[in-house]
Amino acid sequence: MRGHMPVSLFAVAFGALETAGALQELVYRGLLNSETEPMIIGALGTVVGGLLLWTGIALLIRSRLSETLVPATVYVSVPVFLISGVYKHYAGWPITAVGIAYPLFLLLWCKTIGKDLETTSKI
């Protein structure tokens, strides 16, 4: 299946970047400076980044879990980035755009090649 590895690896890379940025927000502003709102936004961002990272790994190894993880990533990622990036302005606009657009792209991509994923899944 053409393009499978780059899509998976971008999901892994974006998930790692989201997790690192959210952990920085959670630890520095949330825990060390005792601010409640950055701690909540950082915790949500860490969960979203970890979920995207997990989805990228599941797509990379062509797991059957990717059929469930991709929609779950969209359902969690889009609202969190709308709140943290658009409404509260904790996340910068590049990661907000990636955090909203890339999971939606993953969902569209998996729907178009979904039949191929079902026939070639190994786990």
Side-chain angles (χ1 to χ4, degrees):
M1 172 169 21
R2 188 172 188 157
H4 192 274
M5 188 174 290
V7 170
S8 305
L9 291 177
F10 275 124
V12 169
F14 291 148
L17 288 172
E18 289 174 10
T19 304
L23 276 173
Q24 180 182 4
E25 187 78 20
L26 172 69
V27 171
Y28 182 70
R29 289 190 62 195
L31 297 176
L32 296 179
N33 289 338
S34 299
E35 296 179 32
T36 304
E37 196 170 84
M39 184 169 54
I40 293 170
I41 296 293
L44 288 173
T46 303
V47 169
V48 167
L51 187 60
L52 184 61
L53 182 64
W54 186 21
T55 302
I57 292 169
L59 284 170
L60 189 62
I61 64 172
R62 298 175 190 227
S63 172
R64 289 186 199 132
L65 284 176
S66 60
E67 297 172 7
T68 306
L69 282 173
V70 171
T73 302
V74 173
Y75 296 148
V76 175
S77 182
V78 171
V80 166
F81 274 100
L82 284 174
I83 292 169
S84 68
V86 176
Y87 180 64
K88 291 290 186 179
H89 303 292
Y90 280 100
W93 67 266
I95 198 65
T96 300
V98 168
I100 293 172
Y102 200 74
L104 291 172
F105 167 74
L106 275 178
L107 184 65
L108 178 68
W109 183 76
C110 284
K111 293 291 181 186
T112 58
I113 59 128
K115 305 229 183 304
D116 293 336
L117 280 178
E118 291 172 7
T119 59
T120 61
S121 71
K122 297 176 183 175
I123 297 174

